[in-house]
Amino acid sequence: MDLVRRIDGDTGEFLLFSLTPPRAATAQERVQQIAEATIARLRLLELDGLILYDIDDEASRNPAERPFPFSPTLDPADYLENHFTSWPTPVIIYRAVGKYSPSELRTWLAAQDPARVLSVLVGAASSKVRGMTSLAQAHALRRAANPELSVGGVAIPERHSRRDDEHLRLLAKQDEGCRFFVTQVVYDVNAAKNLVSDYHYECAARGRTPAPIVFTFAVCGSMRTLDFLRWLGVDVPRWIENDLRHAADTLEASSQLAITTATELMTYCRTLGVPFGINVESVSIRREEIEASVRLAEQLRTEIRD
Amino acid sequence: MDLVRRIDGDTGEFLLFSLTPPRAATAQERVQQIAEATIARLRLLELDGLILYDIDDEASRNPAERPFPFSPTLDPADYLENHFTSWPTPVIIYRAVGKYSPSELRTWLAAQDPARVLSVLVGAASSKVRGMTSLAQAHALRRAANPELSVGGVAIPERHSRRDDEHLRLLAKQDEGCRFFVTQVVYDVNAAKNLVSDYHYECAARGRTPAPIVFTFAVCGSMRTLDFLRWLGVDVPRWIENDLRHAADTLEASSQLAITTATELMTYCRTLGVPFGINVESVSIRREEIEASVRLAEQLRTEIRD
């Protein structure tokens, strides 16, 4: 079954892989090489879809110093159009909507083929930042410009831990047209279960159908990667940090943790009847971590039901 | 192997059952009936030990109204001496030390047979309350009056979630003579794992041997019992509260949750090499909940290694 039908039929049970396009400064020829290597690596995974992130300099998100310096990356829509034409599944293009003017966004949205492209619309990382287009505007543009285009939103369990209202935000985003949600990297399984649970019972109380929630997992090969995830707002429980810090093989330990967490969440969602997808994010550009991400996706594939 | 040896040999893997003595106002004859019924019910469980709580009016702990009214209970040491003489295993007597004068406490401590009685010394529930004897004084009295008597302390994962220093408190209590620790009821597995993890790595860094941590579990037959646990300071994750609230059979659902949580913690402790015990607390006085507690202990018995 195709990704769009798995989302719209609310069956869930799909596997995505996500990555960030190469740096904008990369030579054109090298970009093509990277794309081809990526396609070769991912083709055997039987993915239901691919996610391409739209990176914003999220300095506004966090006053602490960024663990890795920010460098602009290629536009994910351009990367798809120019270098990923041979990729076989639908692709979910992230859009940090504040980076684009309403007319740029409308043009792009209108041009997308709903059978081949989906989009996740992302608002500003902080309420202090005003972008060129607000999230509400972007949703209105999408509804007008391309009603068939499947759009999703971000779901942030960490925000639910602090404010207890993320499930209400998800329902409000559904009213705007969101047909699925994608989390950041999940390390805190309880935070994710709390969100799923509140969302499930709120949907039941309102007689609404829950939209699929895509849980994101990532391997972590070093404490520096862990610091970066934390800087991005991922809650990492103390015991996980300790175990990774003392592991003989951090990468392997983090893969095992991801499998355990993913399996627990999948079981929980199936019990409640909340549809879900699984997304493996390739966070680091180190070859070792990329290969471990591919292996993680391979292992999680076996946990997903056809 | 006997409980004292399991504690001192740091092998852990023991099962306790804990209860509160009957109300002080109970007729003497009825107290004996209750004790006999309890002994009959628990005798088949192959327990390694029994815990008798010492209840203090913990109004200082929490400004919110107590969900169940406080009524004084029999002194656990008297209850043991007068009504539990036929009980076959060692018994751990809690002592809310602030309730007793130093000389009362010294006399009691000196009179205990270390092969038959252990004690958990508990300080004030709030730093605003000054009892007749402080925890530090109580430990000093124990060391002087009965050096062989095995004493433990409380371990509070919830405090670790807020202050990140509970592992250091455990080590300080070990310096005072504590040979084991007992938690409150555990519903938040991550909080417990965080404490175990920090404790383990701190012990390793200092070259200290970790003392057994006894994790307490309880069934919960109603939202009122859950409210009471919460009032006592137990962190109940949102998803667990939701699932219990919507369960067709709250008691059964809470038992399954306890088994899952206990099993996860046992596996985690074994991986790190932190010795542990399991304690099933009988929280409610409703027959149905008492019987479910006994069944929970029976099921957890099968998870403990000889």
Side-chain angles (χ1 to χ4, degrees), chain A residues 79-202:
Chain A
Y79 188 52
L80 172 62
E81 223 173 279
N82 302 327
H83 304 282
F84 259 72
T85 38
S86 66
W87 179 256
T89 75
V91 177
I92 300 173
I93 299 285
Y94 266 53
R95 280 294 176 216
V97 300
K99 284 168 67 177
Y100 309 94
S101 72
S103 73
E104 272 178 292
L105 208 54
R106 184 192 301 110
T107 307
W108 181 79
L109 288 163
Q112 302 313 307
D113 171 5
R116 168 123 187 94
V117 170
L118 300 83
S119 186
V120 167
L121 302 177
V122 186
S126 152
S127 57
K128 281 170 215 128
V129 178
R130 277 183 67 96
M132 283 190 268
T133 306
S134 74
L135 190 54
Q137 275 179 298
H139 277 296
L141 289 170
R142 197 279 309 170
R143 290 192 298 270
N146 197 340
E148 295 303 308
L149 185 69
S150 186
V151 289
V154 293
I156 307 185
E158 283 83 355
R159 191 157 58 191
H160 197 56
S161 301
R162 286 166 193 63
R163 302 191 197 161
D164 287 332
D165 67 352
E166 188 70 6
H167 59 308
L168 305 178
R169 286 166 184 260
L170 299 190
L171 279 158
K173 286 179 184 175
Q174 270 174 270
D175 292 338
E176 295 271 37
C178 282
R179 282 139 83 173
F180 63 98
F181 299 101
V182 186
T183 71
Q184 326 185 83
V185 175
V186 175
Y187 272 87
D188 185 344
V189 71
N190 258 333
K193 284 167 98 168
N194 287 341
L195 174 57
V196 171
S197 172
D198 279 340
Y199 178 59
H200 163 74
Y201 289 111
E202 188 70 28

Side-chain angles (χ1 to χ4, degrees), chain A residues 190 194 197-198 201 239 242, chain B residues 190 194 197-198 239 242-243 246:
Chain A
N190 258 333
N194 287 341
S197 172
D198 279 340
Y201 289 111
W239 70 269
N242 287 343
Chain B
N190 258 333
N194 286 342
S197 173
D198 279 341
W239 70 269
N242 287 345
D243 282 1
H246 293 88

Side-chain angles (χ1 to χ4, degrees), chain B residues 48-278:
Chain B
D48 296 291
L50 192 71
I51 289 178
L52 295 177
Y53 290 119
D54 192 10
I55 302 298
D56 205 357
D57 181 5
E58 297 182 323
S60 61
R61 179 200 283 272
N62 191 331
E65 202 190 336
R66 206 177 200 278
F68 295 105
F70 174 72
S71 65
T73 50
L74 288 175
D75 183 278
D78 294 347
Y79 188 51
L80 172 63
E81 222 173 281
N82 302 327
H83 304 282
F84 259 73
T85 39
S86 67
W87 179 257
T89 74
V91 177
I92 300 173
I93 300 284
Y94 267 53
R95 281 293 178 217
V97 300
K99 284 168 67 176
Y100 309 95
S101 71
S103 72
E104 273 177 294
L105 207 54
R106 184 192 300 109
T107 306
W108 181 78
L109 287 163
Q112 302 314 305
D113 172 3
R116 170 128 185 90
V117 170
L118 299 82
S119 185
V120 167
L121 303 177
V122 186
S126 153
S127 57
K128 282 168 212 128
V129 178
R130 277 184 67 97
M132 284 191 269
T133 306
S134 73
L135 190 55
Q137 274 179 299
H139 276 296
L141 288 169
R142 197 279 308 169
R143 290 193 298 269
N146 197 340
E148 293 303 308
L149 185 69
S150 187
V151 289
V154 294
I156 306 184
E158 283 83 355
R159 193 157 57 191
H160 198 56
S161 301
R162 287 165 192 63
R163 301 190 196 163
D164 287 333
D165 66 352
E166 188 70 6
H167 60 308
L168 304 178
R169 285 168 185 259
L170 299 190
L171 279 158
K173 286 179 184 175
Q174 268 173 272
D175 292 338
E176 295 271 36
C178 282
R179 283 139 81 172
F180 62 98
F181 300 101
V182 186
T183 70
Q184 326 185 82
V185 175
V186 174
Y187 272 86
D188 185 344
V189 70
N190 258 333
K193 284 167 97 168
N194 286 342
L195 174 56
V196 170
S197 173
D198 279 341
Y199 178 58
H200 163 74
Y201 289 110
E202 188 70 27
C203 283
R206 296 194 193 179
R208 300 280 297 264
T209 305
I213 301 179
V214 180
F215 299 103
T216 300
F217 299 93
V219 301
C220 166
S222 70
M223 284 302 114
R224 211 165 155 231
T225 304
L226 199 71
D227 286 345
F228 182 54
L229 287 169
R230 233 182 211 148
W231 186 87
L232 288 170
V234 176
D235 279 353
V236 182
R238 187 65 162 266
W239 70 269
I240 292 183
E241 179 184 344
N242 287 345
D243 282 1
L244 291 180
R245 191 182 299 282
H246 293 88
D249 182 343
T250 311
L251 205 51
E252 174 58 23
S254 73
S255 293
Q256 287 307 321
L257 272 167
I259 291 169
T260 305
T261 308
T263 311
E264 184 174 342
L265 270 174
M266 290 159 92
T267 304
Y268 189 66
C269 286
R270 286 182 191 128
T271 306
L272 290 183
V274 172
F276 64 87
I278 296 292

